[in-house]
Amino acid sequence: MTPQQIAEASAAAMWNGDSTSQRLGMTLDHVAPGAATLSMTVTEAMSNGHGNCHGGYIFTLADSAFAFACNSRNQVVVGQHCSITYLNPVRIGDRLTAAATEISLRGRSGIYDIRITNQDGVHVAEFRGHSRSVNGTHLPVTA
């Protein structure tokens, strides 16, 4: 399999068990080795006391993009540390896109930046995730 085929197959295997992303209406728009893009429309159920999107939902979208990007090489990878900076408010009805990019991959550790934008291209948040590979694969490994 090519690296792209491995990324797509790993993403499909993960997506099948990812009820959080599915139930929040996320779509997996793109996956490649070390990269992933997911989108989600903000619903009224996701609003906070200010009438904006609750930051936890923005974080969840970014975290899902992070997960698909760092698990794109048929290696089980988990989040070790992450942080998010909110830049602009998100409104009900906005379509958010989280684009994850691998910044560094050394041994078992990786760093990923995830840019979250709305349907108008406005940069609404920036997420950085640190990953750590653990035992296991998403796909059967043949000798």
Side-chain angles (χ1 to χ4, degrees):
M1 292 177 80
T2 68
Q4 180 62 33
Q5 290 169 326
I6 291 169
E8 291 171 3
S10 295
M14 281 185 53
W15 185 260
N16 288 334
D18 188 349
S19 62
T20 297
S21 297
Q22 292 178 38
R23 289 182 185 194
L24 289 176
M26 292 181 197
T27 59
L28 178 58
D29 303 326
H30 171 75
V31 67
T37 303
L38 276 77
S39 299
M40 174 182 79
T41 299
V42 177
T43 67
E44 188 174 343
M46 298 174 182
S47 65
N48 62 19
H50 300 293
N52 296 319
C53 181
H54 189 288
Y57 290 100
I58 301 167
F59 184 97
T60 301
L61 175 65
D63 190 46
S64 290
F66 168 46
F68 281 96
C70 66
N71 280 274
S72 61
R73 293 185 175 88
N74 194 29
Q75 174 66 47
V76 175
V77 180
V78 297
Q80 184 177 39
H81 168 77
C82 54
S83 63
I84 192 166
T85 302
Y86 301 101
L87 303 170
N88 284 294
V90 173
R91 310 283 186 221
I92 296 167
D94 281 352
R95 180 77 178 168
L96 299 180
T97 299
T101 304
E102 187 175 82
I103 302 302
S104 174
L105 183 61
R106 300 282 183 265
R108 295 177 53 210
S109 299
I111 299 174
Y112 297 78
D113 282 346
I114 297 85
R115 175 174 283 230
I116 303 93
T117 56
N118 70 12
Q119 68 280 354
D120 298 321
V122 174
H123 191 187
V124 300
E126 190 70 24
F127 177 108
R128 173 160 275 193
H130 296 248
S131 68
R132 188 79 170 165
S133 65
V134 296
N135 290 332
T137 60
H138 301 287
L139 310 169
V141 177
T142 58

